[in-house]
Amino acid sequence: MKKKLKLLQKKLEYTAIAVTYAEIGEWRIAEDYLAKINELNKSQKPKIVVVSLDSDFSRETVEYSVNLAERMNFDILAVNAIQPEKKGNELEKEIKDDPKGTFNRLFGPFLQKAKDYRIRCEAII
């Protein structure tokens, strides 16, 4: 509890400083303090890293990973690793053609399931 109170105190302090600088027109300095607050807001929980090579995450992998993260009180980092040396990599071509659509297709089910369970999930390719 003491640690959480100190974190909250630090956030309030940075907020007050950011507001003060914004009031006098020092926008860059205010934005720097907002960035510091954003860093403090990031989860400090350990993460489970789930990796898929050049393919979608299976439904079973999503279910298992989210359930495990919930039981262990962990966040999830979902990684889709592309093997560039692999010739004829369809996923790499798909990402170049439609990056946003591909990201949603690859990680959408994972992110939604984690959201349903209130588990923080980050995704990267």
Side-chain angles (χ1 to χ4, degrees):
M1 185 70 168
K2 209 175 205 183
K3 189 176 179 181
K4 287 186 180 186
L5 287 174
K6 284 189 181 222
L7 182 63
L8 180 60
Q9 180 182 8
K10 193 62 136 175
K11 288 180 190 179
L12 290 172
E13 177 185 334
Y14 285 164
T15 302
I17 293 170
V19 168
T20 302
Y21 279 111
E23 285 176 339
I24 62 171
E26 294 290 338
W27 301 109
R28 287 188 186 256
I29 297 172
E31 287 174 349
D32 288 343
Y33 277 96
L34 292 176
K36 289 179 183 181
I37 293 167
N38 197 25
E39 284 299 313
L40 291 174
N41 285 334
K42 289 188 178 176
S43 176
Q44 302 298 316
K45 291 181 184 178
K47 292 175 180 38
I48 294 174
V49 178
V50 184
V51 179
S52 176
L53 290 174
D54 296 319
S55 66
D56 299 356
F57 292 96
S58 70
R59 187 176 58 77
E60 293 82 9
T61 300
V62 171
E63 289 283 333
Y64 180 80
S65 301
V66 171
N67 288 331
L68 180 63
E70 180 185 36
R71 288 192 313 269
M72 306 238 355
N73 197 26
F74 279 25
D75 291 339
I76 296 174
L77 175 60
V79 178
N80 195 302
I82 298 173
Q83 301 173 63
E85 68 278 353
K86 191 175 175 184
K87 294 191 191 268
N89 191 329
E90 294 299 318
L91 186 58
E92 190 172 17
K93 291 175 189 171
E94 184 183 345
I95 290 169
K96 286 180 183 174
D97 292 341
D98 182 17
K100 189 174 182 178
T102 304
F103 185 87
N104 289 335
R105 183 182 63 75
L106 291 173
F107 298 108
F110 219 130
L111 295 172
Q112 185 58 50
K113 186 74 171 179
K115 182 180 176 183
D116 292 346
Y117 281 76
R118 293 189 176 113
I119 294 171
R120 188 167 190 271
C121 182
E122 295 179 49
I124 59 171
I125 297 176

